[in-house]
Amino acid sequence: MHLEVLNKMLNNNDNPSLFSRFDTAFAEFLNEKEPSNDPRHKILASLVSHLFSMGHTCLDLNLLATLQWDALGLDEDIYKLLPKNLCDSVKSMPWKFDVTSDEVDNKTSPLVLDNELLYLRKNWEAEKRIIKSIKDRLAVQTEVAPTLSMDLQHLFGTDDSYAQPDWQKLACAVATNKLFTLITGGPGTGKTTTVTKLLALLASNAKKQNPPQAIRIALTAPTGKAAARLGASIKGAVDKLPAEFKFEINQKPVTLHKLLKIRPSAFDSQITSLAYDVIVVDEASMISLSLMDRLLECAQLETRLIFLGDQDQLASVEAGAVLGQLCLNAVDGNYLPATIEFLETFTSKDLSAWAGSGSPLAQQTVMLRKSHRSQDGGVINQWAQLINNGDVQGLVELRKLFAELSNWSQSAQSPPIDHQSQNRRASNSVGNCGNPIDRLNVSKFNSPQTKEFLRNAWTNYLDLIKNTHFDATQDNATQQLLATQILEAFGEFQLLCAVREGPWGVNQLNKVIAQLLGFKDEGWYVGRPVMVTRNNSHLDLRNGDIGICLERNGVLRVAFPSGVDDNQEQEVDIANQIRWILPSRLDSVESVFAMTVHKSQGSEFDHVCLVIPETRTAVLTRELIYTGLTRAKKRVTWITPDESILFKAIETRMSRSGGLHVLHNTKGN
């Protein structure tokens, strides 16, 4: 009976409530090319397509057989219609190549069965190329500089006074050992500081070996904002280095798409070889399977690749969970005796707790474990660790500990205002007594408490919008500086949503917030913040760039931060750090008082307000909550109409299916 109902759903074009029209069309296409009498085959094909659209690179048949719906990101109420013996039919599918069989792969089958993983062929082939490329790079022998120990001590000092090993120093040592390195860690653990000192080591060593030839370094990230932040962070860190270790980066930080010369309409264009000695990729958790495949194809085998990222963050919007799978069990270290012996030459600490029998990839993976954030960030980090561990009880206890200070209460009344700081020009919100975690307890977003909270949170921004004027009597540098101050004030606080639609989604809340702040809820007006939703090469705008509409000399224009060349003098930067663009030229923007957690990746804000909807949805996972929380440097405010939804999300771990974990198999390595 279940199969009959499901089959009707698959073929109901008027109401494709189980799969999308594309999913069912894909299955029908395969069946037309090579008919199957088993209706379960079309269900499996549709499911593979559906999971790909959700970010999985394959269908994990073990998860399907054991009904692990949360791990697959599927709705149990709908998918309970699936026949119980669905997995049994995969072997007889006519449209797949079985890797474990004796048959020869003719490379024409659209699906591939690799043990218990059923792939679209393009994803399977991409994974195999990635696996081979990483293995090839790990096999390349490199020469460690004889001065490495002395150089590391000069850059980091000794760790005698530390309770734990200096993992930043050890990460640099590991990265000099091979041409492929993963450096992971939570917010504030110093990933960019580490990579700056690593680049200093590599540049210094290259200068000694070949003085006339400067080391060729590329800095890149999946988004323009993340790339710009990486460049600025490294530039600031370089300024603090000892004189003999200072180096220059002649290549401006760029997005991965720009580095790889990928045009939106031509992803399969000709592969371009990248002529760099070192490529640093930040925010690597955002890299999709296809993008990683392209990067490894473009990068020469002798190029040193360094990936930075937080493995616990949300994975890429497109299919793949590359960093998460590559950093599997990074917290354990799993270092071989030879690796332990090598690392202990640079530290006085005993590393036996991180010993193991890990793969070659594990030997090139380092987790940074110490957060260097302020005391507020330290509390946020405590919450982040508990969320990562799925420790709901620990969160409840921590909430009780801070209940009196943070105003995390069940009372519907508005928390008290700190009257002593009312007049300060700071991002003070309702109940801010200097506490890093609090909660705005409202049953509906459009409420007096929310209005007061938002106006206090954006105090600086609203004051500047009201009191700042741009006219012809001001020179260009003055107008640039004023616009920069407004952009920075807006960026002090950000409201983040889990979803786009519904009463607690981005689309609705952007309209409500505009009204609560006294703006129009549509059209262009002074003070409207907008986010670019599509790359625009003509205007040099990237997906995710944020600007604010201002009236300049009597004309509405949108002020965007310029992609500043970090090699220019600061005096030149001030006069050119804002681009003024007519609203009529912007066809792909949306208001951004609120943005999704996905869109916030690669960004940081002093204060973040996380909005959790009152009903369960598949996107509400531990990774999403963690990512949203860790966008905040100083303070987090929760809006949770139903607290149980938040705790259920923390208990739900997103587990994108994929096969890159085979790189951690020790057999055959």
Side-chain angles (χ1 to χ4, degrees):
M1 180 63 182
H2 286 312
L3 188 56
E4 293 177 5
V5 173
L6 189 57
N7 207 29
K8 290 180 180 179
M9 295 176 73
L10 283 170
N11 291 283
N12 186 355
N13 291 329
D14 296 327
N15 183 29
S17 54
L18 183 60
F19 300 128
S20 71
R21 294 179 185 274
F22 181 87
D23 299 331
T24 55
F26 172 69
E28 291 292 351
F29 173 78
L30 297 183
N31 198 54
E32 288 177 5
K33 292 295 182 181
E34 192 169 354
S36 167
N37 293 324
D38 190 338
R40 294 175 299 176
H41 293 160
K42 286 201 297 182
I43 296 173
L44 281 171
S46 297
L47 190 53
V48 171
S49 174
H50 181 66
L51 289 175
F52 174 61
S53 70
M54 295 175 61
H56 298 264
T57 57
C58 60
L59 165 60
D60 188 325
L61 296 170
N62 282 329
L63 295 180
L64 182 62
T66 53
L67 309 181
Q68 296 186 48
W69 308 117
D70 282 343
L72 289 169
L74 303 178
D75 189 331
E76 183 177 359
D77 291 337
I78 294 178
Y79 284 87
K80 63 185 179 182
L81 291 172
L82 293 171
K84 295 181 180 179
N85 60 346
L86 182 60
C87 292
D88 297 339
S89 68
V90 69
K91 288 289 185 180
S92 60
M93 284 185 76
W95 318 308
K96 60 100 179 58
F97 163 65
D98 189 344
V99 174
T100 61
S101 68
D102 294 330
E103 61 188 85
V104 177
D105 183 10
N106 59 15
K107 302 187 184 302
T108 60
S109 61
L111 301 174
V112 175
L113 178 63
D114 194 338
N115 291 295
E116 297 302 315
L117 303 178
L118 183 61
Y119 290 86
L120 295 173
R121 175 172 284 276
K122 68 172 184 177
N123 291 340
W124 180 74
E125 291 179 342
E127 277 195 1
K128 293 307 171 187
R129 286 192 295 267
I130 290 171
I131 292 168
K132 181 180 185 305
S133 178
I134 292 176
K135 285 184 175 181
D136 289 347
R137 294 170 192 279
L138 291 173
V140 175
Q141 297 299 316
T142 60
E143 184 178 349
V144 177
T147 60
L148 179 59
S149 183
M150 182 175 60
D151 290 341
L152 285 173
Q153 184 165 343
H154 196 178
L155 285 168
F156 290 94
T158 63
D159 57 2
D160 294 336
S161 60
Y162 299 159
Q164 295 288 330
D166 186 346
W167 288 104
Q168 292 188 14
K169 179 198 288 188
L170 297 183
C172 288
V174 165
T176 61
N177 210 21
K178 293 286 183 179
L179 297 179
F180 187 93
T181 303
L182 303 168
I183 301 175
T184 185
T189 52
K191 293 184 288 292
T192 51
T193 299
T194 302
V195 82
T196 301
K197 293 183 178 181
L198 170 58
L199 292 175
L201 285 171
L202 298 174
S204 174
N205 190 47
K207 191 183 299 182
K208 294 172 186 175
Q209 293 181 348
N210 191 1
Q213 184 69 41
I215 189 171
R216 299 167 298 175
I217 300 171
L219 303 179
T220 184
T223 68
K225 183 181 295 185
R229 254 189 60 205
L230 173 65
S233 298
I234 288 181
K235 183 179 185 299
V238 167
D239 293 339
K240 300 175 183 178
L241 291 175
E244 63 270 31
F245 284 104
K246 292 185 184 295
F247 62 94
E248 291 186 358
I249 298 176
N250 297 319
Q251 171 78 23
K252 183 178 175 180
V254 295
T255 64
L256 270 169
H257 281 76
K258 188 168 185 178
L259 179 72
L260 303 175
K261 298 182 179 179
I262 298 173
R263 299 188 304 276
S265 59
F267 194 95
D268 295 325
S269 57
Q270 185 176 357
I271 300 297
T272 302
S273 180
L274 299 174
Y276 295 102
D277 299 303
V278 183
I279 298 177
V280 176
V281 185
D282 197 13
E283 297 293 346
S285 63
M286 301 169 67
I287 299 178
S288 65
L289 183 77
S290 58
L291 202 54
M292 185 68 166
D293 180 30
R294 180 67 169 257
L295 172 61
L296 294 180
E297 280 195 279
C298 291
Q300 298 175 1
L301 182 60
E302 61 270 21
T303 298
R304 192 181 300 270
L305 296 177
I306 304 162
F307 293 87
L308 311 174
D310 187 343
Q311 68 179 87
D312 297 313
Q313 279 191 29
L314 282 169
S316 60
V317 175
E318 297 177 358
V322 174
L323 186 68
Q325 292 178 23
L326 294 184
C327 291
L328 186 67
N329 298 324
V331 67
D332 299 325
N334 287 316
Y335 297 130
L336 297 171
T339 304
I340 294 289
E341 182 181 359
F342 172 71
L343 292 178
E344 286 185 340
T345 62
F346 309 109
T347 179
S348 60
K349 305 300 179 184
D350 178 13
L351 300 179
S352 60
W354 294 277
S357 56
S359 65
L361 179 59
Q363 312 313 301
Q364 287 303 117
T365 304
V366 179
M367 173 175 279
L368 306 183
R369 302 158 194 271
K370 178 178 173 58
S371 176
H372 299 275
R373 287 271 175 90
S374 65
Q375 61 178 9
D376 286 354
V379 173
I380 293 172
N381 188 55
Q382 290 180 51
W383 282 68
Q385 290 179 5
L386 290 171
I387 288 171
N388 254 344
N389 296 331
D391 188 353
V392 171
Q393 186 57 42
L395 282 173
V396 171
E397 294 302 316
L398 188 61
R399 184 194 68 188
K400 290 178 181 177
L401 180 64
F402 287 95
E404 188 174 336
L405 295 176
S406 68
N407 296 303
W408 186 301
S409 68
Q410 299 305 311
S411 171
Q413 297 178 354
S414 175
I417 299 175
D418 177 11
H419 295 286
Q420 293 181 350
S421 61
Q422 270 186 325
N423 297 323
R424 296 175 191 165
R425 296 204 63 204
S427 298
N428 295 329
S429 67
V430 176
N432 180 17
C433 303
N435 305 301
I437 303 287
D438 60 18
R439 179 190 184 200
L440 183 63
N441 195 352
V442 293
S443 58
K444 62 178 182 178
F445 190 84
N446 191 354
S447 68
Q449 295 100 314
T450 308
K451 180 178 180 179
E452 187 176 10
F453 167 76
L454 292 172
R455 286 181 175 272
N456 282 327
W458 267 312
T459 294
N460 288 349
Y461 155 67
L462 294 173
D463 284 352
L464 288 171
I465 288 295
K466 180 180 179 180
N467 300 315
T468 304
H469 304 283
F470 301 84
D471 57 56
T473 64
Q474 301 163 327
D475 59 24
N476 182 55
T478 299
Q479 293 192 354
Q480 298 277 336
L481 182 58
L482 291 173
T484 299
Q485 290 174 346
I486 293 174
L487 283 161
E488 290 177 349
F490 177 77
E492 291 172 353
F493 169 76
Q494 184 62 57
L495 191 138
L496 302 179
C497 299
V499 295
R500 291 195 63 85
E501 304 299 334
W504 301 95
V506 164
N507 293 339
Q508 177 66 21
L509 293 195
N510 270 315
K511 295 179 181 180
V512 174
I513 294 171
Q515 294 172 347
L516 292 176
L517 296 180
F519 297 120
K520 297 189 299 182
D521 60 2
E522 60 183 13
W524 289 101
Y525 51 84
V526 173
R528 181 191 178 193
V530 294
M531 174 186 283
V532 176
T533 58
R534 187 173 62 189
N535 292 340
N536 188 325
S537 58
H538 299 294
L539 298 177
D540 193 25
L541 293 175
R542 297 170 293 268
N543 187 0
D545 285 352
I546 291 177
I548 294 181
C549 184
L550 302 169
E551 186 175 330
R552 187 191 191 202
N553 304 336
V555 179
L556 287 182
R557 292 181 183 271
V558 183
F560 285 96
S562 176
V564 177
D565 185 346
D566 289 325
N567 293 319
Q568 293 179 353
E569 295 297 326
Q570 183 66 20
E571 290 75 15
V572 178
D573 292 346
I574 290 177
N576 297 280
Q577 59 186 338
I578 296 294
R579 284 167 294 157
W580 301 91
I581 298 175
L582 288 168
S584 58
R585 301 188 66 192
L586 298 170
D587 58 352
S588 298
V589 295
E590 61 186 21
S591 294
V592 71
F593 292 111
M595 70 171 72
T596 61
V597 174
H598 278 89
K599 282 287 188 181
S600 73
Q601 286 184 269
S603 300
E604 286 183 334
F605 310 94
D606 287 343
H607 181 187
V608 161
C609 178
L610 267 170
V611 179
I612 309 300
E614 58 188 352
T615 56
R616 281 281 295 153
T617 177
V619 302
L620 279 174
T621 63
R622 185 182 308 174
E623 289 78 9
L624 182 134
I625 302 299
Y626 171 84
T627 301
L629 178 85
T630 54
R631 299 309 89 209
K633 294 189 289 184
K634 298 180 179 178
R635 186 169 173 216
V636 175
T637 298
W638 298 92
I639 295 181
T640 57
D642 185 344
E643 191 177 275
S644 66
I645 299 298
L646 170 62
F647 291 145
K648 177 62 177 176
I650 292 169
E651 292 175 334
T652 304
R653 181 128 213 177
M654 180 183 69
S655 178
R656 284 189 173 180
S657 300
L660 295 179
H661 62 273
V662 300
L663 281 163
H664 294 282
N665 293 344
T666 54
K667 293 181 180 180
N669 282 320

